[in-house]
Amino acid sequence: MANFTPTELASSVDRALNALVAGRNSAGYWEGRLASSPLGTAVALCALDRDDLPAARWTSAYAYLSKTQNADGGWGDTEISKSNLAASLLVLCADACNAFLSADARKCGLAYTEKLGGVREGLRRVYGSDLTFQVPIRMTAAHAGLQSFTWNDVDALPFELALAPRSLMGALRLPVVSYALPALVCVGLSRHAKAPSWFAPIRWWRNRITEQALEAILKMQPESGGYLEASPITAFCLIGLKSAGRADHPIAKNARKFLISTQREDGSWPVEVNLSVWNTTRAIDALAAGGLLETALSESERATTRDWLLQQQCMTRSVYSDTQPGGWGWNHLAGSVPDVDDTSGAIIALRHLGVPENHAAIASGTEWLIQLRNRNGGWPTFCRGWEKLPFDRSAPDLTAHALRALFPDQYKLMAQNSFGLTREVFTAGYAYLSSVQRDDGAFRPLWFGCESSSHESNETYGTVHVLLACNGVTCADAMKKRALKWLLSIQNSDGGFGGTSSAPSTAEETGLALRALVAQGYTFDDVECQRAAQWLVEHQRADGSWNPAPIGFYFAVLWYYEELYPLYYALGGLGALAKTRHGIEAATAA
């Protein structure tokens, strides 16, 4: 390795800092830009009618899908993603509705999907018992007439259960996640209309409660018309309503408005409008990790960001998860749902921005997190107690983040707060983390993945977050030691880190790993840190940013990338390392 100098590090940090600050808007937050999605584009085209869009916008959407076909004949969730069955089937559904692919492209696409088992068997292999995404895809295939797929092949989702009290949802053990109730109703209605149950009492009952079910999900639809502000679930709802003969229902009209308004200039759709709260809290945390927050933002600018973030706290009970007020969702739009990861990130960012511990927002956010804690001591994503599907189970990345938010000074706060924190919350949280640590020392997260891994799990992301939560925690020493050993063992020969052992290096994972090493006491003088930093410097773009990688799971194994992710994760690592260099120099001078 060539000698890596402090000057190179400082220059890289400055370029990244300038790029990150430039991404903050006048309202005080980072909106970012999510990847365009062949999957999101395809399902939107399946849902819309010819007269919904000008001819030029249809043409640009077709061109986008045609150019994003991979060499193996399939499509990925983003233009840089590996091919997968779901995205490929939905593009073929869009083509069945509109016939825009060339004969050769269509033939290659069909061959790719048939090789993976097609609509019937392939989707079940991918998603198992989780029907959240596979049944809407089957409905779309029936709607498009793809591969002779019929409405009798679409699962008859029990949409009447959407009217049951939320407190009973766990007992009902629905095969869809909590936030997918609008799709449960719309997809269920489409199957009921096209291929009703042979059992007369069920047909009678579903006919009777149809209007009630629609009224329930109409109340869940935000002003924009986009459920979760996301194109896939909104488009699935529109397809279901059209298939059920309800194309003129207010839900369908609102959904159509959302899809039309969110198409991009190149004809594509992203899977989600933006991640403004997530991006802002991570940007603030990254700046704070390197001691750069006051350098990057003036006092008035920090106040603007602080006030904006305080305004994003959910002040009403969630219509999706039925959780109490006090949490934060992933963006500032009405369709966002409060979740553990964003609530934890908001609390941490607010502290960095000078909000005191006794502030009402910290109090209600803390109470919100405690209410969601599962019996096993860990935290799920959206709501407590379902424990059937991944997003309702505890996860190590979420738990580690919640522990960082709740216990920044460990036991000290437990004696000072009045928010319901106890020693049991602390010890049970770390006991849960210890119980899910893998034999090799790593942790598998829920929300982020690694495409090059055989299990698609981003163990680097999960392990880093646990390490950040273990600083100074005596009861976690053994767990921390094993996790650190694993992290060091997967550093690639080029100095960078990927999502797991032998995975190609990326800016996101290298920046995260570097920050974790610094948090565990490593400094600029340690070769592991220098190698990681040098990889980041060598791969930094001229504008100070880095190329993104498909790292995210949006839901049901749906990949995305966000252009800000590599920037603030890399800056968090490089800034933290530069901070240790300054500390070494100061100590030497003294």
Side-chain angles (χ1 to χ4, degrees), residues 229-279:
E229 307 294 340
S231 59
I233 189 172
T234 304
F236 284 138
C237 288
L238 179 53
I239 293 168
L241 291 173
K242 288 171 60 177
S243 299
R246 300 292 185 122
D248 292 328
H249 191 277
I251 295 173
K253 292 180 179 179
N254 295 337
R256 191 176 290 111
K257 176 187 70 172
F258 173 80
L259 292 174
I260 292 170
S261 69
T262 53
Q263 186 183 23
R264 290 178 166 172
E265 291 184 1
D266 66 352
S268 68
W269 276 264
V271 293
E272 171 74 28
V273 174
N274 66 60
L275 301 177
S276 57
V277 171
W278 175 281
N279 283 334

Side-chain angles (χ1 to χ4, degrees), residues 56-273:
R57 294 180 69 179
W58 283 100
T59 300
S60 60
Y62 298 155
Y64 172 80
L65 289 178
S66 295
K67 74 180 182 182
T68 53
Q69 186 173 22
N70 291 326
D72 59 8
W75 284 263
D77 294 338
T78 77
E79 71 276 6
I80 61 173
S81 295
K82 294 181 179 180
S83 298
N84 67 67
L85 182 61
S88 301
L89 285 172
L90 287 170
V91 174
L92 292 173
C93 286
D95 177 65
C97 291
N98 301 287
F100 59 87
L101 291 174
S102 69
D104 285 344
R106 185 178 300 117
K107 180 180 179 181
C108 291
L110 288 169
Y112 173 82
T113 58
E114 289 169 1
K115 180 178 66 175
L116 296 181
V119 186
R120 291 177 175 84
E121 297 302 321
L123 290 175
R124 202 171 303 279
R125 293 174 196 161
V126 173
Y127 298 110
S129 62
D130 186 351
L131 303 184
T132 303
F133 211 41
Q134 60 176 305
V135 176
I137 296 174
R138 290 196 183 101
M139 173 198 68
T140 305
H143 169 78
L146 181 69
Q147 298 177 357
S148 301
F149 198 74
T150 70
W151 285 99
N152 286 319
D153 294 318
V154 179
D155 304 64
L157 292 180
F159 66 89
E160 63 275 10
L161 296 183
L163 299 177
R166 280 312 155 80
S167 59
L168 295 180
M169 288 298 186
L172 292 171
R173 300 180 72 79
L174 293 180
V176 297
V177 296
S178 53
Y179 59 72
L181 290 179
L184 168 70
V185 171
C186 295
V187 175
L189 276 176
S190 69
R191 171 62 160 77
H192 175 61
K194 295 292 188 179
S197 172
W198 61 268
F199 191 47
I202 291 181
R203 292 200 308 273
W204 173 83
W205 176 245
R206 288 178 175 166
N207 286 333
R208 183 176 180 181
I209 58 87
T210 291
E211 294 303 326
Q212 290 175 266
L214 288 171
E215 185 63 27
I217 64 169
L218 178 59
K219 293 178 180 178
M220 299 172 69
Q221 193 171 31
E223 182 181 356
S224 68
Y227 287 108
L228 306 179
E229 307 294 340
S231 59
I233 189 172
T234 304
F236 284 138
C237 288
L238 179 53
I239 293 168
L241 291 173
K242 288 171 60 177
S243 299
R246 300 292 185 122
D248 292 328
H249 191 277
I251 295 173
K253 292 180 179 179
N254 295 337
R256 191 176 290 111
K257 176 187 70 172
F258 173 80
L259 292 174
I260 292 170
S261 69
T262 53
Q263 186 183 23
R264 290 178 166 172
E265 291 184 1
D266 66 352
S268 68
W269 276 264
V271 293
E272 171 74 28
V273 174

Side-chain angles (χ1 to χ4, degrees), residues 373 376-379 399-400 403 407 423-435 479:
R373 191 171 65 108
N376 61 9
W379 274 266
T399 300
L403 289 169
F407 300 103
R423 184 177 297 272
E424 188 273 335
V425 173
F426 181 89
T427 56
Y430 285 98
Y432 163 77
L433 290 177
S434 180
S435 72
M479 175 172 60

Side-chain angles (χ1 to χ4, degrees), residues 300-338:
S300 63
E301 288 172 331
R302 296 196 300 275
T304 300
T305 299
R306 178 200 65 210
D307 292 345
W308 179 86
L309 189 54
L310 287 169
Q311 292 168 9
Q312 308 319 313
Q313 190 171 27
C314 299
M315 305 309 292
T316 59
R317 187 172 287 274
S318 171
V319 296
Y320 284 93
S321 58
D322 201 37
T323 54
Q324 68 176 27
W328 279 263
W330 52 83
N331 66 29
H332 63 287
L333 304 173
S336 180
V337 180

